[in-house]
Amino acid sequence: MADFRKLFLALAVMALLAVPVSADQPTVSCYASSSPVIIRDGGLTELVGDVTLSCDNTAVGAVDIQTDIQVFMNYAQVTNKVLNNTGSGGECPTGIKCVTDSVATAKWISLTPPSAPWVNGNPTPIIGLLQSRLDLSGDPANQRNSVLFPRVPVPAGTITLIRISNIRIAAPSVSASGSTDVFEKITTNNVVITPNYQLPVATVQIPLQFQTTGCDGSVPVSLSFQQCNAVNPDTTNMTTNFNVQFIEGFALAFKPVSNATSIIVGNKFQSESGYYFSSLSSPGGSTVTDVGLASTGTNLILRFNNIPSGINIYVTKSNVFKGTSQLTTTGPPAITASAAGTASGTMSCLPQTGYDYHQPAIPVTISGGAGSVSWVVTSIDYTFNYQKTISFGVSVSYVPNTSLDLPGLTGTPGGGVTGALGPLSTIDYAVPISSTAPIPRFRDNPKGATVFSVNPCITNILFPYVTVKAGFDTGIALINTSLDTPVIGTQTQHGACTMYYFDATTSPPAAQNTCDIKPGGMVAFSMMSSGGIPSATCADSSVVTNTAVPIGWQGYAIAKCRFQYGHGYAFISDRNVPGLGSQGYLALILPAGYCTRGPNPFSSCGTGAGEMLVH
């Protein structure tokens, strides 16, 4: 029933608009050809390639005709802008807003001068009318797969070249092979189309690759920051921590809005806009303005996730030289983009060279650990028809406040970024033309990576001799010495310690944990009396459960404390009678200026963790 209603509406429009043709009129034939283009997976308003009809009306006895041309898309919705009314003069079936900004333009190659009313040259381009199935509310439903161009003139004595442009579709998803082809089928009411089959007009491909690199455009990076060490505290002059790179999946996947005056019918459009007219009248007299014009260039969207509290993010206002495709090693980039926002400082990639010296930096608003920024592609040098890369710098900034656990820790996964094309939208089509839905617009299909982590500052404390053997006991104290105000003024820190035991066997005693040790606090325990760190219910109501170190064990231990300025003291006592006496020693602080990843529990990346000179 729905298919019949659709066909009925289309035929009703044709009946109203078409000029009857005599039964003995010579046949007019049109040869159809297409100019396929590559369109973007996830794009909701992608311009398909133009279709050209070369219509021969030069036979003996030819008469002027008008033909209704209807374009059907295969498995794709038409997403052109639609005028905010139903037109006039019967151009739209009742209840459907159908006047679009797609166009059919005609050019006549005359063998004999065309008769009136066409003696003054080629006709005004004809606006396409959306043909849509109705839903129960009378509004266009999701089946919007064809456009009608009514009353296209084909004068006698001419070969008429008809170019169909500006049809936008929601791109079908790419297949497992990485691409999907899109076809059009052309039908008319009174001419013969040759060949009478679907014409290829587009191939859908993945438009975006995304990665992070060093600020000099080098290999991808994974950065580790420490909670107690400031990063870019002076936000007026920051060092770029890493770059994000948006890489075209195919040439010209990123496009500006356009220079409207340079858009010429028949060209493969190298912008988000199509065949542009400032104003046209539709077949029923409705006025359509800014025909074919997009509302924005391609947006390059960068989103941040899992950003701890206390951390600020800055990005370069425009693309940076390093890692961006450019004309020469010193010339301007082949593709440029810029973000809205006021620069509050500068960023530099060290060593400071070329265009990366003091780039304007804008802050990214972070809320709930997430934030985003987008750059709009503003220009492309089309003479460089290859996959281009465009890079932007990112700086992380914070001043630690370890007494409040700021900045927060990232955990796993760490702070990450994702890249996507935009503007993002869930609207496949927008009615009416005044809708706020932008052109272009895209489904959300992010590509991302984990970039950095914020790790706790730690102290690794070595107890080189621990024994609970042959009547000897070892008493151990773990002390948090970060409370020294007003003597030194160290930032106070707190956290738990984990004691790891080592010996020559393959199964030493299990690690043991303390509760949180406050600034100026300590934990003391006896290996013989409690088997090491005793189990306990902590002040925050968490429970620490430890397995006791057995009597008869001997070896060494390392305490990993989640704060700087940790210290340890051990006291070995002989409980035999008579005994050999007792001996105490200060534990050693392991250096922390190295980075080891993997299962090693004592890994510490960067400098500044562990013992400091003032302690």
Side-chain angles (χ1 to χ4, degrees):
M1 179 64 181
D3 288 334
F4 173 78
R5 291 178 70 186
K6 177 180 175 182
L7 179 61
F8 175 80
L9 291 171
L11 292 176
V13 174
M14 291 182 181
L16 286 170
L17 300 177
V19 176
V21 180
S22 171
D24 58 357
Q25 173 189 328
T27 300
V28 176
S29 62
C30 298
Y31 178 78
S33 61
S34 60
S35 303
V37 296
I38 301 176
I39 61 176
R40 297 164 292 196
D41 180 53
L44 296 174
T45 55
E46 296 297 285
L47 284 167
V48 300
D50 290 356
V51 169
T52 301
L53 301 178
S54 178
C55 299
D56 189 342
N57 192 14
T58 60
V60 176
V63 297
D64 298 334
I65 68 167
Q66 294 176 333
T67 185
D68 299 319
I69 300 173
Q70 191 161 5
V71 178
F72 291 88
M73 305 303 306
N74 73 317
Y75 305 111
Q77 297 182 49
V78 175
T79 56
N80 282 79
K81 297 184 289 187
V82 178
L83 194 65
N84 189 20
N85 61 45
T86 57
S88 57
E91 66 183 328
C92 294
T94 302
I96 296 182
K97 301 176 177 67
C98 75
V99 179
T100 75
D101 62 343
S102 60
V103 292
T105 54
K107 180 180 181 180
W108 298 331
I109 303 174
S110 299
L111 300 182
T112 59
S115 58
W118 300 314
V119 294
N120 293 324
N122 295 324
T124 299
I126 295 174
I127 288 291
L129 306 178
L130 178 68
Q131 303 298 288
S132 177
R133 189 178 296 180
L134 292 177
D135 65 17
L136 296 179
S137 67
D139 291 325
N142 284 335
Q143 289 80 6
R144 298 159 50 101
N145 70 331
S146 71
V147 178
L148 173 69
F149 298 94
R151 298 179 299 190
V152 180
V154 183
T158 67
I159 295 175
T160 300
L161 300 179
I162 302 168
R163 191 98 185 191
I164 297 170
S165 306
N166 286 3
I167 292 181
R168 295 182 183 270
I169 66 168
S173 298
V174 297
S175 64
S177 64
S179 66
T180 296
D181 293 327
V182 178
F183 298 87
E184 285 181 4
K185 184 173 177 60
I186 312 296
T187 65
T188 64
N189 61 329
N190 56 356
V191 300
V192 176
I193 302 292
T194 304
N196 188 23
Y197 56 73
Q198 291 183 332
L199 298 168
V201 290
T203 298
V204 186
Q205 292 186 10
I206 302 295
L208 173 66
Q209 301 171 30
F210 178 81
Q211 69 178 11
T212 60
T213 72
C215 70
D216 59 354
S218 58
V219 296
V221 295
S222 180
L223 304 174
S224 178
F225 303 120
Q226 290 179 297
Q227 185 186 47
C228 57
N229 295 328
V231 175
N232 284 319
D234 179 7
T235 58
T236 63
N237 186 10
M238 294 173 285
T239 298
T240 302
N241 294 112
F242 62 93
N243 281 357
V244 291
Q245 290 191 336
F246 293 81
I247 305 167
E248 289 184 315
F250 53 86
L252 300 180
F254 308 157
K255 307 173 186 179
V257 170
S258 78
N259 178 359
T261 58
S262 67
I263 298 299
I264 301 172
V265 67
N267 283 355
K268 291 184 178 180
F269 302 118
Q270 296 176 332
S271 73
E272 295 292 358
S273 298
Y275 188 17
Y276 175 77
F277 292 90
S278 60
S279 177
L280 285 178
S281 294
S282 70
S286 302
T287 299
V288 184
T289 59
D290 290 329
V291 173
L293 187 65
S295 53
T296 179
T298 310
N299 286 201
L300 305 176
I301 301 174
L302 180 66
R303 284 179 287 187
F304 296 87
N305 54 76
N306 199 25
I307 306 302
S309 56
I311 283 186
N312 299 306
I313 301 291
Y314 294 81
V315 297
T316 54
K317 186 174 178 66
S318 302
N319 50 285
V320 297
F321 184 72
K322 295 292 187 182
T324 293
S325 300
Q326 63 260 355
L327 304 185
T328 67
T329 56
T330 58
I335 180 172
T336 60
S338 184
T342 302
S344 60
T346 62
M347 294 164 54
S348 299
C349 178
L350 300 176
Q352 298 170 339
T353 57
Y355 290 91
D356 292 335
Y357 181 74
H358 287 176
Q359 286 282 325
I362 59 175
V364 179
T365 300
I366 302 295
S367 176
S372 67
V373 64
S374 63
W375 295 268
V376 179
V377 174
T378 52
S379 69
I380 292 179
D381 190 316
Y382 298 111
T383 60
F384 287 76
N385 191 8
Y386 55 82
Q387 293 173 255
K388 301 177 199 60
T389 298
I390 186 164
S391 298
F392 304 93
V394 179
S395 287
V396 175
S397 172
Y398 64 85
V399 176
N401 186 343
T402 51
S403 62
L404 297 179
D405 275 339
L406 293 176
L409 306 180
T410 50
T412 303
V417 292
T418 61
L421 298 186
L424 299 176
S425 178
T426 58
I427 302 174
D428 281 11
Y429 59 90
V431 176
I433 199 171
S434 60
S435 167
T436 56
I439 294 178
R441 55 187 181 270
F442 295 84
R443 297 185 182 95
D444 194 1
N445 185 24
K447 302 178 184 299
T450 297
V451 181
F452 70 88
S453 60
V454 179
N455 300 312
C457 291
I458 62 170
T459 308
N460 293 325
I461 307 170
L462 171 63
F463 297 86
Y465 181 59
V466 177
T467 182
V468 60
K469 183 177 181 180
F472 285 88
D473 183 18
T474 304
I476 291 178
L478 300 173
I479 309 103
N480 180 346
T481 68
S482 65
L483 180 63
D484 51 31
T485 305
V487 179
I488 298 175
T490 303
Q491 280 202 11
T492 57
Q493 302 173 46
H494 65 92
C497 296
T498 300
M499 181 76 85
Y500 297 88
Y501 299 98
F502 301 89
D503 57 31
T505 70
T506 58
S507 55
Q512 298 175 329
N513 297 300
T514 73
C515 294
D516 186 81
I517 303 176
K518 301 299 182 183
M522 71 175 66
V523 170
F525 51 89
S526 164
M527 301 301 296
M528 180 176 288
S529 300
S530 59
I533 303 172
S535 299
T537 298
C538 302
D540 61 0
S541 299
S542 63
V543 177
V544 171
T545 302
N546 293 319
T547 300
V549 176
I551 300 295
W553 181 82
Q554 184 171 275
Y556 66 93
I558 301 176
K560 179 180 180 181
C561 295
R562 191 196 164 278
F563 46 80
Q564 286 178 300
Y565 318 125
H567 284 274
Y569 180 77
F571 188 82
I572 302 173
S573 60
D574 184 357
R575 297 204 176 182
N576 296 293
V577 179
L580 298 177
S582 301
Q583 176 78 40
Y585 66 86
L586 287 173
L588 304 175
I589 306 301
L590 298 179
Y594 60 91
C595 181
T596 305
R597 301 193 181 277
N600 180 359
F602 309 109
S603 61
S604 175
C605 297
T607 59
E611 180 67 356
M612 306 296 285
L613 291 178
V614 295
H615 283 263

